[in-house]
Amino acid sequence: MNDDEKFDAWLKDVAGDYNRPPATVPREAMWEAIIPSLPVATPVGVSPLRPVHRTRWISLAAAAAVLVVVSYQVGRRNATTEEAAPAVASAPAPRADLALYAKAAEQHLGRADALLTSVRSSGTTGTTDPSLQLWARELLSDTRLLLDSPAASDAARQRLLQDLELTLAQIVQLSAASTPDDQRMVERSLQRGELLTRIRTAVPSNYSGT
Amino acid sequence: MNERELIARAAAGDSEAQRALYDAHVDRVYRLAYRLAGDDDLARDFVQDAFVRAFQRLGEFRGDSALSTWLHAITVSVSLNGLRKVKRLRSREFPLEDAEMIGTTPRRADPDLRQRLHAAIDNLPPGYRTVFVMHDVEGFTHEEIAHSLGIQPGTSKAQLFRARAKLRHALADFAGAWSA
């Protein structure tokens, strides 16, 4: 047996230590998180929703959606009379605009997924990492913009954005001086309602979140 | 009830069939996700995400390959995308008390060497690392890897060969330790 073969044999012997999973698989905990996102039985005669084909124009539409959201907020801030703002906010959005808002929300949730995953993978230090807090602050601001926009007209999306807003607000309020209890509160908030799983279900798999 | 019937019922929204499929495959899916992620929270996220996506697309599963292969493909895709999003792998720690072995290993690696090996595996290009983890760590065959990753078995073999070569190079300081 030459040296390369000895190396390969040794490698196979010791490679089993690499990222060795725990002996017990957390089956029930994972299943509980999966259940809310499972497809349910479709009544006879009702066609299941077809997957939406995402084509290149959607990227352009998404960019337009961001513009619409920003313009909408700028418009609200620049309103000179108190009566003007409700008039804009209460105007029903055209159907095409709703699709754009939905796309903007989808992109936003992709970024939130990336942040929350980073916070979770960083453990207790993640919640007080200044760069993650800055990121959370920006996302919190965008979340509130979306909650004020027609993107929140969908009840399920509105609930998701509200839960996200709560979690982001908790992250933003944490500081290096926060107690472990404060940090655990954020962790519990992440687990409650399985926020990450719900976000990922709402975001297409090919979306990178960047 | 065979797996084909279970799949049809699960795709139609039968919760018992969904649970039966989950129970049949979750252990190996979790092991694979954990090997790639190296972190329990991430592995759980990836497993949950993989099963949610799998159940949502079960109607598209044509049975050209085994369901397990299809699930592993989704798991690898979800895991690599997830790790890319995090953009950095966690810093590694190797407390000796956690180095519990299942069964016996004829030769135990020196802790420094093992730490270097694990860091070297972390630093492999994602494609090489995935093939290495699936083949040398989890025991998948090249045919299973090829089906899961959508590549040819020959490509899987070539990537494993290159992965091992890179690891050998990364551990050159320890040359000979594996001969002892």
Side-chain angles (χ1 to χ4, degrees):
Chain A
M1 187 184 281
N2 64 31
D3 197 50
D4 284 359
E5 289 168 340
K6 283 179 184 170
F7 176 79
D8 289 350
W10 170 83
L11 195 54
K12 288 194 86 166
D13 270 351
V14 299
D17 276 349
Y18 178 71
N19 289 348
R20 182 182 290 283
T24 308
V25 175
R27 283 184 171 206
E28 295 307 321
M30 291 191 294
W31 180 247
E32 289 301 315
I34 290 169
I35 287 174
S37 303
L38 289 181
V40 293
T42 310
V44 176
V46 178
S47 303
L49 288 175
R50 285 173 167 233
V52 178
H53 291 287
R54 296 178 181 85
T55 50
R56 199 174 170 186
W57 70 268
I58 288 184
S59 301
L60 295 172
V66 172
L67 256 179
V68 170
V69 172
V70 171
S71 307
Y72 175 80
Q73 185 64 13
V74 168
R76 285 188 60 181
R77 283 180 182 165
N78 290 344
T80 52
T81 65
E82 287 189 359
E83 290 78 16
V88 173
S90 61
R95 187 170 293 181
D97 281 358
L98 285 177
L100 295 179
Y101 279 114
K103 189 64 193 173
E106 198 174 77
Q107 292 201 331
H108 175 70
L109 291 171
R111 287 190 288 273
D113 176 11
L115 168 72
L116 297 179
T117 304
S118 297
V119 169
R120 279 190 66 166
S121 67
S122 303
T124 52
T125 58
T127 48
T128 55
D129 180 333
S131 62
L132 290 180
Q133 285 205 325
L134 180 63
W135 190 4
R137 192 179 298 278
E138 290 169 359
L139 285 175
L140 178 60
S141 168
D142 290 347
T143 304
R144 287 173 174 159
L145 275 175
L146 285 166
L147 275 168
D148 274 347
S149 79
S153 59
D154 176 271
R157 190 186 300 126
Q158 185 188 39
R159 277 197 301 277
L160 183 55
L161 287 169
Q162 284 169 341
D163 289 350
L164 175 62
E165 180 191 21
L166 175 66
T167 301
L168 291 173
Q170 288 171 339
I171 293 173
V172 166
Q173 284 165 10
L174 285 176
S175 68
S178 298
T179 65
D181 280 347
D182 293 333
Q183 292 168 353
R184 275 195 291 275
M185 183 180 68
V186 172
E187 183 62 25
R188 276 201 304 274
S189 181
L190 268 174
Q191 288 168 350
R192 189 172 53 236
E194 300 300 340
L195 182 60
L196 266 171
T197 302
R198 286 165 60 207
I199 287 175
R200 287 172 182 158
T201 305
V203 178
S205 60
N206 59 352
Y207 182 64
S208 67
T210 54
Chain B
M1 188 182 306
N2 63 33
E3 190 167 78
R4 203 180 186 87
E5 291 168 328
L6 274 178
I7 291 169
R9 286 179 53 180
D14 180 328
S15 57
E16 283 183 19
Q18 289 166 345
R19 177 65 202 237
L21 287 177
Y22 171 82
D23 282 341
H25 296 282
V26 67
D27 288 2
R28 199 152 193 217
V29 166
Y30 176 78
R31 284 180 64 87
L32 179 56
Y34 195 100
R35 294 286 195 184
L36 291 170
D39 176 282
D40 185 52
D41 282 338
L42 282 176
R44 288 181 188 218
D45 286 346
F46 296 159
V47 171
Q48 288 160 200
D49 204 9
F51 272 101
V52 167
R53 291 187 194 286
F55 282 126
Q56 286 176 343
R57 298 177 190 169
L58 206 49
E60 300 168 21
F61 176 67
R62 295 182 176 185
D64 297 336
S65 60
L67 181 69
S68 58
T69 303
W70 188 69
L71 274 172
H72 296 150
I74 295 173
T75 306
V76 169
S77 170
V78 164
S79 301
L80 295 184
N81 277 335
L83 291 172
R84 215 172 286 135
K85 280 181 191 172
V86 173
K87 288 192 173 155
R88 60 187 167 83
L89 293 168
R90 66 185 175 87
S91 55
R92 303 191 59 87
E93 293 177 4
F94 300 95
L96 290 178
E97 60 271 25
D98 288 350
E100 193 178 325
M101 300 293 289
I102 296 172
T104 56
T105 306
R107 290 188 298 274
R108 293 292 296 271
D110 174 84
D112 287 343
L113 175 54
R114 190 168 50 190
Q115 188 168 344
R116 280 278 297 275
L117 169 64
H118 291 185
I121 297 171
D122 282 342
N123 288 326
L124 286 172
Y128 293 1
R129 178 171 170 268
T130 304
V131 170
F132 176 80
V133 165
M134 292 182 82
H135 188 277
D136 276 10
V137 182
E138 275 299 295
F140 285 79
T141 66
H142 284 296
E143 284 69 27
E144 288 172 322
I145 296 170
H147 274 118
S148 293
L149 303 185
I151 57 179
Q152 294 296 317
T155 307
S156 173
K157 288 176 189 170
Q159 293 203 335
L160 178 64
F161 179 82
R162 289 175 198 141
R164 287 174 176 168
K166 279 186 174 290
L167 293 177
R168 193 160 43 242
H169 179 72
L171 300 176
D173 293 351
F174 293 89
W178 38 87
S179 311

